[in-house]
Amino acid sequence: MDLELTERERAFQAEAREWLAAHVPAAPLPSGDTAEGFALHKQWEKQLHAARWAVVSWPRAYGGREASLMEWLIFEEEYYRAAAPQRISQNGIFLLAPTLFEFGTQEQKDRILPRMAAAEELWAQGWSEPNAGSDLAGIQSRALRVDGGWRLTGQKTWCTRGAFCDWMFGLFRSDAAATRHKGLTYFLVKLDSPGVTVRPVARLDGDAGFAEVFLEDALVPDADVLGPVHSGWSVAMATASSERGLTLRSPGRFTAAAARLIELWKRRGAHADPGLRDAVVRAWMDAEAYRLYTLGTVTKLAAGGQLGADSSLNKIFWSEMDVRLHETALDLLGPAAELAEGPDAAWMKGYQFALAGPIYAGTNEIQRNVVAERLLGLPKG
Ligand SMILES: Cc1cc2nc3c(=O)[nH]c(=O)nc-3n(C[C@H](O)[C@H](O)[C@H](O)COP(=O)(O)OP(=O)(O)OC[C@H]3O[C@@H](n4cnc5c(N)ncnc54)[C@H](O)[C@@H]3O)c2cc1C
């Protein structure tokens, strides 16, 4: 592929860079996984939307710029470079939206996407249950057919920012006679509906970002079923593929972190173990390698290809790279890392979150099973 940016892409990059330089808040916002931080991030999302930077690759009618995937990557790179706020809209715009574009009815797209883009409605992901995380096909929450819709009953857990979101997408067993991957349906659930109780769960770092969601005969109209009834597994796998393979973690996040690590080395390296120099170089090379690999993925998609089981390789790579990169930063900071103030304080919080990377979006053990069985053709373990 040609790695040189076209004139149009360069102009797009310059426009994004200029806007971000003028608008990114000078001081970082409080964590978007707290009530106070979430409200401030929501305002930021609205600002992005007003300037048409919230969902650059979407159609104009829904608030986008019809940017190519390549331009989306450029925007992401600029976004992280500018140290702009975390995207609290990510479960909606990066996970649900690609699935809505593929499986949603025209009515669903016209109703949901503009409000999602404008951060008027924020989305949580409701897949995991207390007894079904890795084994998603083992979910027990169920949907009962009633006149005009479905009544949902069960419990979802670990819903990121679910305590503050307006809607949740999730899988439910709609055919009680079916087992495993069959008889599941993908529902869109309004979290303030009667019969829905949202309970915040505090995280290790003190933020109350997670939620458990309890459903007791909550009514969901037919209009909020996404994709075919009883075939929700394939709809959910489309969400999982785009999450692991491209949209959840764009390379800009890691190239920006590697650049910050190099800056930290320049400040602290003289006092640090010289062996850490190699770890810093490796972090930079890994981030660049991930960037090039993603360009390959985007080229494949632009040529009509699809994301498949190789998304699992991608997820293993970025999640493990992120842990190593943050460990290197903490080693550079030394024993004071936990007490660091100012910009260096972000490394400890970033490390704690990086540790979750090999767990969320499907654990790395599960990704390795997928790689072994579906890419390498090894027998089932
Ligand atoms: C930061 C964070 C955010 C999250 N956000 C969300 C969210 O928004 N929505 C949501 O629905 N969920 C979310 N989750 C939950 C996440 O998807 C689950 O934690 C994950 O799928 C693992 O499920 P589990 O916790 O039930 O662990 P388990 O499935 O019980 O796994 C326990 C351990 O056993 C291993 N294991 C299990 N089965 C196998 C196997 N067949 N082969 C090899 N090893 C195996 C796992 O890899 C893991 O190490 C989030 C999790 C984290 C950490």
Side-chain angles (χ1 to χ4, degrees), residues 90-91 95 125 127-128 133-134 136 158 160 237 239-245 248-249 311-312 315-316 318-319 353 356-367 370:
Q90 101 184 358
N91 279 337
L95 306 189
Q125 183 182 41
W127 287 7
S128 304
S134 298
L136 187 61
W158 310 131
T160 295
M237 286 310 103
T239 305
S241 262
S242 69
E243 176 180 23
R244 293 167 190 166
L248 185 65
R249 293 289 177 249
S311 294
S312 293
K315 200 257 149 170
I316 295 169
W318 63 248
S319 55
F353 190 68
I359 302 172
Y360 64 77
T363 70
N364 284 11
E365 288 79 16
I366 295 301
Q367 308 306 326
V370 173

Side-chain angles (χ1 to χ4, degrees), residues 113-374:
L113 291 168
R115 290 189 228 161
M116 185 192 287
E120 282 162 14
E121 289 173 346
L122 288 133
W123 287 81
Q125 183 182 41
W127 287 7
S128 304
E129 296 183 1
N131 293 312
S134 298
D135 185 21
L136 187 61
I139 59 167
Q140 288 161 10
S141 295
R142 53 190 196 277
L144 187 70
R145 188 85 185 102
V146 292
D147 230 13
W150 297 80
R151 290 227 173 244
L152 307 189
T153 299
Q155 182 188 348
K156 297 289 175 182
T157 191
W158 310 131
C159 302
T160 295
R161 288 182 288 280
F164 318 121
C165 286
D166 310 288
W167 283 80
M168 173 180 86
F169 57 91
L171 268 188
F172 292 78
R173 182 155 301 286
S174 48
D175 180 354
T179 54
R180 306 292 300 158
H181 309 90
K182 301 209 175 85
L184 302 172
T185 300
Y186 199 126
F187 288 97
L188 309 175
V189 185
K190 205 160 185 308
L191 288 174
D192 63 1
S193 310
V196 180
T197 307
V198 178
R199 200 162 74 185
V201 178
R203 288 192 328 208
L204 181 67
D205 64 2
D207 295 357
F210 278 132
E212 294 177 296
V213 178
F214 299 88
L215 303 113
E216 286 169 90
D217 270 337
L219 181 66
V220 171
D222 284 326
D224 290 332
V225 171
L226 179 56
V229 167
H230 300 329
S231 299
W233 184 260
S234 49
V235 186
M237 286 310 103
T239 305
S241 262
S242 69
E243 176 180 23
R244 293 167 190 166
L246 184 65
T247 51
L248 185 65
R249 293 289 177 249
S250 69
R253 181 184 178 104
F254 306 107
T255 48
R260 285 204 316 277
L261 185 66
I262 291 171
E263 187 270 326
L264 182 64
W265 166 264
K266 287 181 182 160
R267 275 193 287 123
R268 307 273 314 184
H271 313 285
D273 170 357
L276 285 174
R277 192 165 177 249
D278 286 352
V280 173
V281 172
R282 176 168 183 201
W284 181 86
M285 285 169 64
D286 283 350
E288 278 304 306
Y290 182 58
R291 180 169 170 268
L292 294 173
Y293 182 82
T294 307
L295 290 174
T297 303
V298 164
T299 308
K300 181 169 106 177
L301 291 176
Q306 298 242 314
L307 288 169
D310 47 353
S311 294
S312 293
L313 280 176
N314 201 56
K315 200 257 149 170
I316 295 169
F317 189 83
W318 63 248
S319 55
E320 294 186 350
M321 161 174 65
D322 204 26
V323 174
R324 278 194 305 273
L325 195 149
H326 282 86
E327 275 172 355
T328 306
L330 296 189
D331 285 344
L332 276 170
L333 288 166
E338 285 183 55
L339 308 172
E341 288 183 353
D344 287 343
W347 287 113
M348 190 64 202
K349 182 124 178 140
Y351 173 66
Q352 288 169 345
F353 190 68
L355 290 179
I359 302 172
Y360 64 77
T363 70
N364 284 11
E365 288 79 16
I366 295 301
Q367 308 306 326
R368 285 191 161 87
N369 286 347
V370 173
V371 171
E373 290 162 20
R374 297 191 35 210

